[in-house]
Amino acid sequence: MEIIVKTFHQLTTDELYEILKIRCAVFVVEQNCPYQDIDGTDKRALHLFLKDENGDIVSYLRIFEKDENTAQIGRVVTAVRRKGYGTQLLKEAMVQAKQHFGKSRIYLEAQTYALPFYSAQGFVPFGEEFLEDGIPHIRMKFEFQAKA
């Protein structure tokens, strides 16, 4: 398994195609949720994905700047589940959020069913549950600890 980290302009057309394919397969088809996936954020995001031994993308997410102190993680998707791929990628995303963006906090909007997944990595829910495209979500944050 290999974790790849690229900016939008570093992605090959094949990688971009596979990323959009996995996002569509899960978020639009599997979850029966038509929405505008191509939202303009990809161009300013850092893209992380995990490739298996065949070179297929099995997990993906993107990170982008939310504000001067916060990086946001989004479009977290795993095609092959219950293998730890999402956890591997999320841990690397947390490293990249700190190193690449230099932020003190990470924000994400988790589908409510995935709250235990993010909580296991130190994310804390805040605010009220809300619907996005008809799916229950919860806001979550992770604060990097300041070194003493």
Side-chain angles (χ1 to χ4, degrees):
M1 297 303 235
E2 179 183 11
I3 294 178
I4 311 291
V5 179
K6 291 186 174 186
T7 65
F8 180 80
H9 296 291
Q10 292 172 327
L11 294 170
T12 67
T13 52
D14 285 341
E15 288 168 337
L16 180 58
Y17 177 85
E18 290 300 317
I19 288 165
L20 295 174
K21 182 179 168 186
I22 189 176
R23 286 177 9 186
C24 181
V26 173
F27 297 134
V28 177
V29 176
E30 181 181 308
Q31 296 182 350
N32 193 26
C33 181
Y35 78 106
Q36 185 61 48
D37 182 40
I38 311 288
D39 61 359
T41 303
D42 288 322
K43 287 186 176 183
R44 63 185 180 94
L46 193 62
H47 301 268
L48 282 69
F49 49 99
L50 188 62
K51 286 188 174 184
D52 67 12
E53 56 279 347
N54 298 320
D56 296 324
I57 295 175
V58 295
S59 191
Y60 166 86
L61 60 76
R62 68 184 184 182
I63 312 169
F64 52 95
E65 184 176 286
K66 179 172 173 55
D67 60 42
E68 69 180 43
N69 298 315
T70 311
Q72 183 168 342
I73 293 176
R75 300 292 198 266
V76 181
V77 62
T78 301
V80 181
R81 297 181 180 111
R82 306 281 183 243
K83 301 270 188 193
Y85 301 152
T87 300
Q88 267 185 276
L89 204 58
L90 183 60
K91 286 180 179 181
E92 181 61 27
M94 294 168 76
V95 170
Q96 291 295 327
K98 181 72 170 170
Q99 289 179 350
H100 183 86
F101 291 98
K103 305 300 182 185
S104 60
R105 148 182 346 109
I106 304 172
Y107 169 85
L108 57 84
E109 295 175 352
Q111 291 186 8
T112 304
Y113 82 89
L115 191 133
F117 169 74
Y118 294 107
S119 294
Q121 299 308 316
F123 283 85
V124 177
F126 68 96
E128 298 295 317
E129 185 178 276
F130 64 98
L131 289 178
E132 182 160 330
D133 299 315
I135 298 172
H137 283 70
I138 189 79
R139 290 172 183 85
M140 299 188 82
K141 64 183 174 181
F142 176 89
E143 303 274 348
F144 290 101
Q145 298 301 314
K147 294 187 178 182

